[in-house]
Amino acid sequence: MSDIFSDLPHRRAIIDRRLLADRLDAIAAETADAGKRRGAMVALLKEALEVGRAEIARRLLEHPSSGRVAAQATAFLIDQIVRLSYDFTVDYLYPASNRSAGERITVIAVGGYGRAEMAPFSDVDIGFLTPFKQTSWTEQVIEAQLYTLWDLGLKVGHSSRSLDEMVRTAKDDLTIRTALLEARFIWGDRALYDQAAARFDAEVMAGNARAFVAEKLAERDERHKRMGDSRYVVEPNVKEGKGGLRDLHTLFWIGKFIHRVRTVPELVDAGLLSARELRQFSRAENFLLAVRCHLHILAGRAEDRLTFDFQREIAARMQFADRPGKSPVERFMQLYFLHAKSVGDLTGTFLAHLDEQLAARGRRFLPTLRRRPGRLNGFVLDRGRLALPSDDYFRKDPVRLLEIFQLADKYGLEIHPQAMRQARHDAKLIDGKVRRIGRANALFLDVLTSPRDPETVLRWMNEAGVFGRFVPDFGRVVAQMQFDMYHHYTVDEHTIRAIGLLSDIEQNRLKDDHPLSTAIMDQIHSRRVIYVAVLLHDIAKGRGGDHSVLGAELALRVCPRLGLNEAETETVSWLVRHHLLMSATAFKRDLADFKTILDFAQLVQSPERLRLLLVLTVVDIRAVGPGVWNSWKRQLLTELYDAAEEVLRLGHKQRGREVRIASKKEEAQALLQMGDKDFGKLAKRLPESYWIAEPVEVIAANLIHIQKSSGAPLHIAAVPDDDRGATLVMVLAADHPGLFYRIAGGIHLAGGNIIDARIHTTRDGLALDNFLVQDPLGRPFAEAEQIVRLTRAIEDALANRHKLLPKLEARALPRTRAEAFRIAPNVFIDNKASNRFTVIEVNAQDRPALLNQLAYALFQSKVTVHSAHVATYGERAVDTFYVTDLIGDKIDSAARVKSLEKRLLEAAASRSEEAVAA
């Protein structure tokens, strides 16, 4: 028995090998038939495996944070299964009385199994070694052993090699070399295993440390890139993600290859970890192993991605409770990210020690970024990196904890990991007294508003714990996740990314993506205001209550301390309070309704605030995660900015309605290069409200559409619109009730997502409906066959060729992910937001048939839809409708409003409403 399992309690309750060995002997005594013997052995071992797994699961539920114990117990269970099946195979299935010297086998565990770290459904990585080329007997035994393990339902990663082959493949392949690095004897010929271990040590490891380290670090970087390159992704991969188990394994592999250590604690003796860092390593590993074991048990299979649906269940299993402003799942994930951060800290200091040990005198083994020394105020340069002259340097003056980051930014220097380690240790020296020192605040503000690379240096500051100590309110959101499908990162990571994006916009690095923001950054009076507003915009999340209101109050306290004057403080507070205003207005309201613009401008009040708010809105959306920003959002924000800027500059009159209509007609006619007579004939069919509502490009497309229809009762056209990142779908049809909900259903059936819709009636009584549609990946429908499918689906829906709902439900969202969330539907009916229309906003859980069901509910309520605006935030959909009753008046009777609200709530909550299929 290997001493690796000596601390595992009550091993026989997991599996009793002696008892099972006796029962296997009895099976062999009962029959000489090899097939029956094998069948009975598999049945017995399968039962033992299930009983063992159930016992491990029971213990884990009883002690839900004991990850290492559960992982070791699983490896112990598999060891005994392998030993029993091997003995039975050699003794009873393929006995050999006179084995030659070449007919010896040693069975080894490699990889995670070799480390004795196995989640319940981890692969069984096993190796069979023979002294020379395989004989027919060794082939039979190995094959029988593998078939037994497969019949037990185990996923086996296996290899069978001679000693020479083992050495050759290990030299050639990094993956094999790493797996064999953790090889552990399970059963068979012990002397052969010792011989293999000695050859691996002498022929593979000796003299190859530098190459191995370089290859493992390159492999790690590639893995991080593949997994999202952030340890703060809200659905992390526990094993392969940044800050996950594989990062810890990499440290151990490197230490083992260089110093021949056998266990993690020996890394302390090797000088690669301190005693404190060893405790960090052990705590992080134990927690991550526990999470991975729970994940496997809940999934019933090997699963390493901690998706939303599992997060809630694991938080409950690990006994996390509610706290004010934070749910159990958010508290669980915050601890997860703190451990992931801890793994990152360990990696930095470990690699620094490694650098010291492997580097030639005065040079660095690991590559450096840049080197440009300057006046360092007492700090020193150690091979191009900013370092401390003594270990007590921060203790003598805690303001230096900020100064080191300011100098790193100013001179483009890396910080020596030893200095980072000391900063982490001494961050607690930053107290209320230090926070009130003017020099400390000036240094922090220098880093935050740096014209160079504030994102990188702020991330270093956050990793060292200095950021959260200096701005304690920021410390509260470090590693805090937001449990939804919209936000991709933790609050602190989102904030730091937003600051980086702001810097990129200011430095003209994102001019193509954000031409307007780039242009107006030059017009902003106070850079400090926008940078501090980005820092504070989400700082009050997780406190319960509206984070915008709480954050605005916090800003009034934090800004003066940072050195902002009264006017700057007031502006930052206003920006934090209203940082969601511009996106909410642009994405959920009708920008063609002039009252929308007036109400927005009345809140903003000044062109400077408008400029600041636009830039804050852009970086906030971009920093949510990849794929969230798109050209449609850019178009809407630009439209709102231009309209509000005109109101703030010219006052409420703007240009007269007639002037604006005439101007649009001129532009549209010029764009179409159409004669006065032909253009006038088409234009007079469209009412004044149409010319106000639609942009010139859409008007031009509509006029071509009307012209091509040649009086047909139904004409459908679709044209990709790259500026808006969507396809414009135009439907000209005889107007009749229910037209809107049927078109919406047809578009969904073709796989389209409607992001905006405008409904018009021509002067001769036809409906002209414009829909902006994207494919499931947020792109326009551009291929010819896609557009044919889209138009045909709309035709079928309007012709009532099939019932819509069954088909729509067949396109449902992947349930596992969406079901992790429960969004109670909400309906807001507002008669003040528009002078002409009643505005209805519906918040509900997103699903493909939602817009169709809501539109049908409005049809049932005898309501006319004039425009619809669709915004999605992960699993939450916000659909806004501008409506009137059938004679064009607002819906203002209390009874009618209540009835409408009830019907919409039922539609939003319902998953199968037969009427929709009508």
Side-chain angles (χ1 to χ4, degrees), residues 84 402 525 651 841 843 862:
L84 287 162
L402 294 146
H525 298 316
E841 183 181 304
N843 286 256
K862 297 182 172 53

Side-chain angles (χ1 to χ4, degrees), residues 33-108:
D33 185 299
K36 287 180 181 175
R37 280 179 170 182
R38 192 180 169 284
M41 171 195 66
V42 168
L44 180 65
L45 293 184
K46 186 173 267 191
E47 183 191 350
L49 182 63
E50 285 169 7
V51 168
R53 279 179 170 165
E55 172 64 14
I56 293 165
R58 185 193 67 76
R59 291 185 187 189
L60 184 63
L61 208 51
E62 216 170 79
H63 303 283
S65 298
S66 300
R68 191 175 292 102
V69 173
Q72 282 194 342
T74 304
F76 171 78
L77 172 64
I78 300 299
D79 268 15
Q80 309 320 310
I81 296 286
V82 170
R83 290 174 175 191
L84 287 162
S85 64
Y86 179 84
D87 283 346
F88 193 84
T89 302
V90 171
D91 293 343
Y92 299 119
L93 299 181
Y94 296 102
S97 50
N98 293 314
R99 278 187 256 164
S100 67
E103 291 180 322
R104 292 182 295 146
I105 302 172
T106 184
V107 186
I108 60 171

Side-chain angles (χ1 to χ4, degrees), residues 840-856:
I840 300 171
E841 183 181 304
V842 183
N843 286 256
Q845 188 140 349
D846 191 25
R847 62 181 188 273
L850 177 65
L851 184 65
N852 171 270
Q853 286 177 297
L854 295 175
Y856 186 76

Side-chain angles (χ1 to χ4, degrees), residues 762-781:
T762 63
R763 292 187 194 275
D764 48 356
L766 291 175
L768 173 60
D769 294 356
N770 289 323
F771 294 85
L772 274 173
V773 178
Q774 292 179 330
D775 71 11
L777 298 173
R779 302 172 308 198
F781 280 79

Side-chain angles (χ1 to χ4, degrees), residues 667-785:
E667 287 181 61
Q669 187 176 353
L671 203 61
L672 291 169
Q673 298 180 337
M674 200 178 274
D676 290 348
K677 188 180 175 186
D678 290 340
F679 183 80
K681 192 177 171 185
L682 288 171
K684 72 178 184 183
R685 295 179 66 180
L686 298 165
E688 281 191 353
S689 59
Y690 168 85
W691 296 95
I692 294 292
E694 295 291 7
V696 173
E697 298 81 5
V698 172
I699 290 169
N702 282 169
L703 292 175
I704 293 169
H705 177 53
I706 293 169
Q707 196 175 38
K708 284 183 176 177
S709 70
S710 306
L714 174 65
H715 192 256
I716 302 165
V719 288
D721 184 339
D722 291 330
D723 286 343
R724 290 172 176 79
T727 296
L728 174 65
V729 176
M730 301 170 282
V731 181
L732 187 70
D735 201 4
H736 64 81
L739 188 70
F740 176 65
Y741 90 81
R742 288 197 165 279
I743 295 171
I747 290 170
H748 283 310
L749 279 180
N753 294 323
I754 297 168
I755 58 171
D756 204 64
R758 288 187 196 283
I759 291 89
H760 307 285
T761 305
T762 63
R763 292 187 194 275
D764 48 356
L766 291 175
L768 173 60
D769 294 356
N770 289 323
F771 294 85
L772 274 173
V773 178
Q774 292 179 330
D775 71 11
L777 298 173
R779 302 172 308 198
F781 280 79
E783 304 292 326
E785 60 266 29

